Amino acid sequence: MAKTISLITLLLLLAAPFIGNAQEKTEKLQQFNNFTASFEVPAGKTWVVNQIFSSFSAGVETMADGTAKVTPIRIFIKTFNGDIKTDWQGNRFGPQVFQSNSTYSSIPFPLTLPEKTTISFVIIQGDPGKCKAFDGSAYITYTELTNEK
């Protein structure tokens, strides 16, 4: 019994520096559109992006046979640390983070962004090569972690 108490005491003493030093984290949800789609991870923080999403459709067209054709919404990484990834008007498409009609066409989450990372997105409607800017909004959910010193 005394041996067990000594072992527990030793473990508590070894763990004491780590108790209460848990990494501070805050869950965030932020709305954005094509004008506000630029983000920078603050110094001393790390973002873990859990999801990026938008509307399901920019429009539904009923065909002559009664079927519906849906115009999908897509969100692409526009720039990453100043490097242009997507120029949709120039038919250059980088990593896609959301597609309303197919979850298989997007990069997997979570996406970890270290401090001072800059990232921007572009929201389009339609298919690459036959698309235009989407005038709606999108959402990003992320966990903001305070980096340990």
Side-chain angles (χ1 to χ4, degrees), residues 8-100:
I8 292 172
T9 304
L10 177 63
L11 288 173
L12 286 174
L13 288 173
L14 291 173
F18 303 106
I19 296 173
N21 265 356
Q23 194 172 20
E24 187 180 323
K25 65 181 181 176
T26 307
E27 304 296 331
K28 298 195 175 190
L29 168 70
Q30 192 164 345
Q31 183 176 4
F32 65 93
N33 59 38
N34 278 324
F35 298 104
T36 61
S38 295
F39 302 93
E40 181 173 0
V41 180
K45 305 288 184 180
T46 296
W47 285 2
V48 178
V49 178
N50 303 304
Q51 190 174 25
I52 298 172
F53 61 96
S54 185
S55 304
F56 175 73
S57 172
V60 179
E61 180 183 348
T62 303
M63 309 307 282
D65 64 358
T67 60
K69 180 182 174 190
V70 176
T71 304
I73 306 298
R74 299 169 186 261
I75 303 173
F76 290 93
I77 295 176
K78 183 176 181 180
T79 62
F80 190 77
N81 287 335
D83 186 26
I84 297 172
K85 296 297 179 191
T86 298
D87 173 12
W88 65 273
Q89 293 161 319
N91 272 338
R92 179 176 160 194
F93 296 90
Q96 182 173 274
V97 294
F98 174 78
Q99 181 177 331
S100 62

Side-chain angles (χ1 to χ4, degrees), residues 98-118:
F98 174 78
Q99 181 177 331
S100 62
N101 62 351
S102 175
T103 57
Y104 299 108
S105 301
S106 301
I107 63 172
F109 289 98
L111 178 63
T112 303
L113 304 174
E115 66 180 335
K116 298 187 179 180
T117 297
T118 59

Side-chain angles (χ1 to χ4, degrees), residues 4 16 84 131 134 136 149:
T4 304
I84 297 172
C131 58
F134 180 60
K149 297 176 184 178

